[in-house]
Amino acid sequence: MHASHPSLRRVGVVAVVVLVTGALFTPPSNAGSAPGIVRESFGATAEGPVHRYTLTNGKGMRVRILTYGGIIQTIEVPDRRGRTTNVALGFDNLTDYVERNPYFGCITGRYANRIALGRFTLDGVTYQLPINNAPNSLHGGDVGFDKHIWATSPFRRDGNVGLVMRYTSPHLDQGYPGTLTTTVTYTLTRGNAIRMEYRATTDRPTVVNLTNHTYFNLAGEGSGSIENHTLQLDASRYTPVDPTLIPTGSLDPVAGTPMDFTRPTAIGERIRDDFTQLVIGRGFDHNYVLDRRHRTGLQRAARVVEPRSGRVLTILTEEPGIQFYSGNFLDGTLVGTSGRMYRQGDGFALETQHFPDSPNQAAFPSTVLRPGETYRTTTIYQFGTTR
Ligand code: BGC
């Protein structure tokens, strides 16, 4: 252990006082007030105590994040008339998150999405991962990044509030090689955006693909179907899948198919079309290949509008793909935050990511991370309204 420099220690103490002061003076309303951060206990798992942070930006948004799984529990945003509701699906208690969470809100890793047969070969060595979505491995295995407690430090910067979350996954955790040290920085901006910055380093060659798995309903969590939301995806191709939801390897054009969201289209408009990919996915459960104007940098990937409330979600990312999942496996067995149950299509996820099964698909953008390199990627959920 290095002893911290006395002046650095002092800065740390001052920062904590500022945060606590901010928290004490944060009024319960989330509009027209100073930005704030409040921490409270949210129970415990076998790994230790869990906390919940409430971030308010003073501009109408309030976001709750758990140290367990880095889960975004709630996102409260105003509609076109300034009425605020929670647009993220989730639970009001830790037990449901631990025992039955279909990845609501969580940091998903080490490898978001599927790896065929839970197996891949890197530098001549074959690794076997848990088969938790037979016959494949899904979202990092049985105990992925969504099921650990993340070391969390709050910060305030330039009128924004946020959390730095850290987790170190040991070599061969869930079968993946390399000690992976991951940092996810969530920032709630004064511009009504949630910015997510992911960083990871490894001590051995490995694969990594991180995302956030929030399910949205812009009319309000628990308010019913998302089929009336219009979706636009900046993607003219997608990766069709086999019956186990593993990409076949081809990048097919969306043009002329119900997969086409290049123009704003209601999610429900073609979801029941007799199209093989929709039958396989029981709706939309597909990775879209983003039309990148530049190889790097943040670009718009998706825009979703809920017509009655006027709420708009725009997603920007540095990733090459986005998984559009129309909540097909919600089946009325989960009761959400507001006490209402979730049925099929009551929420959707848009998961920015590298393509599924990339470790087994040489033609897909690489997900390999080597010692000395830093995995860096940023995604933004930007909220707004339309008339
Ligand atoms: C997958 C779905 C899966 C869902 C919840 C999505 O990322 O594409 O197939 O059911 O996560 O696990």
Side-chain angles (χ1 to χ4, degrees):
M1 282 284 288
H2 297 283
S4 61
H5 188 278
S7 66
L8 289 181
R9 259 207 314 265
R10 248 190 334 266
V11 170
V13 170
V14 170
V16 167
V17 170
V18 169
L19 280 170
V20 171
T21 311
L24 285 177
F25 288 101
T26 300
S29 153
N30 47 335
S33 55
I37 306 175
V38 175
R39 187 180 87 139
E40 65 198 307
S41 173
F42 199 71
T45 69
E47 239 176 29
V50 174
H51 291 95
R52 175 169 80 171
Y53 284 86
T54 300
L55 310 181
T56 45
N57 70 350
K59 304 284 181 191
M61 272 189 75
R62 176 160 57 188
V63 176
R64 295 202 157 101
I65 297 173
L66 310 182
T67 57
Y68 179 75
I71 288 170
I72 299 180
Q73 183 197 23
T74 63
I75 304 174
E76 291 168 74
V77 282
D79 68 5
R80 63 160 75 86
R81 290 156 69 180
R83 288 176 308 199
T84 297
T85 199
N86 169 27
V87 298
L89 276 61
F91 300 116
D92 67 357
N93 67 90
L94 184 60
T95 307
D96 281 343
Y97 279 114
V98 171
E99 292 179 1
R100 52 186 71 88
N101 184 16
Y103 301 92
F104 289 154
C106 64
I107 299 168
T108 315
R110 294 185 184 193
Y111 197 97
N113 219 311
R114 292 175 175 80
I115 294 181
L117 306 176
R119 198 179 303 147
F120 68 95
T121 301
L122 181 60
D123 297 343
V125 184
T126 299
Y127 298 95
Q128 181 65 53
L129 315 170
I131 307 299
N132 59 335
N133 187 250
N136 305 314
S137 192
L138 175 68
H139 295 332
D142 292 326
V143 189
F145 282 7
D146 56 298
K147 294 184 183 67
H148 287 288
I149 296 172
W150 291 62
T152 304
S153 0
F155 67 87
R156 291 166 168 259
R157 198 177 302 135
D158 307 327
N160 303 325
V161 286
L163 303 176
V164 180
M165 311 194 80
R166 290 193 180 79
Y167 180 68
T168 299
S169 168
H171 176 51
L172 295 180
D173 181 12
Q174 300 296 296
Y176 290 92
T179 307
L180 194 73
T181 306
T182 302
T183 304
V184 178
T185 305
Y186 284 118
T187 307
L188 172 60
T189 75
R190 52 189 174 165
N192 280 3
I194 301 173
R195 184 182 178 97
M196 296 162 284
E197 293 167 278
Y198 302 83
R199 301 278 181 276
T201 53
T202 182
D203 61 358
R204 288 182 179 83
T206 191
V207 295
V208 58
N209 187 30
L210 304 177
T211 195
N212 174 272
H213 206 296
T214 295
Y215 289 55
F216 296 95
N217 184 326
L218 299 180
E221 163 274 326
S223 71
S225 169
I226 47 85
E227 288 195 11
N228 73 326
H229 289 50
T230 61
L231 169 66
Q232 184 170 15
L233 292 172
D234 296 296
S236 47
R237 291 173 300 168
Y238 75 111
T239 51
V241 288
D242 72 12
T244 75
L245 298 178
I246 292 294
T248 60
S250 69
L251 311 183
D252 281 8
V254 295
T257 80
M259 310 304 288
D260 189 353
F261 285 94
T262 52
R263 278 184 290 269
T265 306
I267 291 175
E269 193 173 310
R270 296 176 302 204
I271 201 169
R272 290 173 186 79
D273 283 14
D274 184 10
F275 184 72
T276 305
Q277 287 296 314
L278 289 177
V279 175
I280 289 176
R282 302 191 190 187
F284 298 99
D285 196 353
H286 294 84
N287 169 64
Y288 281 74
V289 179
L290 294 170
D291 296 329
R292 297 201 61 91
R293 285 187 302 280
H294 312 285
R295 277 180 63 85
T296 56
L298 278 166
Q299 262 185 232
R300 193 182 80 165
R303 183 170 188 267
V304 192
V305 177
E306 199 288 307
R308 281 170 299 160
S309 64
R311 288 194 188 88
V312 180
L313 166 65
T314 305
I315 300 183
L316 301 117
T317 191
E318 295 181 311
E319 286 298 297
I322 192 165
Q323 180 87 4
F324 169 40
Y325 171 57
S326 52
N328 315 324
F329 298 106
L330 297 173
D331 61 2
T333 54
L334 301 177
V335 176
T337 327
S338 60
R340 292 172 63 83
M341 76 178 175
Y342 298 139
R343 294 164 60 93
Q344 189 180 45
D346 281 359
F348 66 89
L350 285 166
E351 307 149 44
T352 57
Q353 58 171 11
H354 272 55
F355 306 168
D357 199 32
S358 297
N360 295 308
Q361 303 265 2
F364 287 179
S366 173
T367 52
V368 173
L369 181 71
R370 296 187 178 279
E373 299 173 343
T374 302
Y375 169 90
R376 283 172 207 274
T377 186
T378 297
T379 289
I380 294 176
Y381 296 152
Q382 174 69 58
F383 295 92
T385 55
T386 182
R387 292 187 170 278

